[in-house]
Amino acid sequence: MTTVLDDLKRKLADNPAGILENIAKEHQVCLADAIKCLPADMWRELSGDHFERVIKEVPDWGQVTTIANTGDMIFEVSGDFPQGTFARGYYNLKKTQGGFSGHIKEDACHSILFLKRPFFSKLSASINFINEQGNCYLKIFLGRDEGGELRADQLEKFHALSNWEH
């Protein structure tokens, strides 16, 4: 007897490039489970205990794309990820030149999934912050160079941060 996750693993092995939120919803699984159905060479996981280390390193990477997807809207900000500080149970993002700021609940991060896979015919890499329910509340996508390829300096940092063997 096959399970939903077994079926999803087969589907994603054949085509790993779909919109994972839509695929998760279609198969009635959380996003974390959908990501973990991708081929093993496309993702790495760290526990949420690494939240502070990860969130504090990304501001030094330069331009990235930060995404919040609620299902009803997708909000994207391109630019430097803000520095921040912890206070009153939140990681508080300091406002950038473009006005990007916000507050991330300190204990919301259950795990961090690093994802590197094809998307719209190009390699994509992202850091996905996952809550206890297996949903992603914050994504940070690596930036691209003038040729549309992932920035090599960011990809190197991404690999180091995620303990990615390459």
Side-chain angles (χ1 to χ4, degrees), residues 106-157:
E106 188 173 346
D107 62 357
C109 190
H110 179 72
S111 68
I112 304 166
L113 287 164
F114 293 80
L115 185 55
K116 189 170 64 170
R117 69 188 181 109
F119 190 70
F120 292 122
S121 74
K122 292 211 178 260
L123 183 64
S124 176
S126 63
I127 304 169
N128 299 266
F129 295 88
I130 307 294
N131 65 20
E132 191 172 7
Q133 294 76 34
N135 298 312
C136 183
Y137 62 89
L138 174 67
K139 291 183 186 188
I140 301 171
F141 281 84
L142 275 59
R144 297 193 179 275
D145 62 20
E146 299 79 29
E149 301 303 319
L150 291 176
R151 287 185 40 185
D153 61 324
Q154 289 184 0
L155 193 55
E156 184 177 316
K157 292 172 184 176

Side-chain angles (χ1 to χ4, degrees), residues 18-34:
I19 298 172
L20 291 173
E21 286 84 357
N22 294 351
I23 293 168
K25 185 176 181 180
E26 175 186 326
H27 288 83
Q28 298 180 339
V29 299
C30 66
L31 182 61
D33 285 344

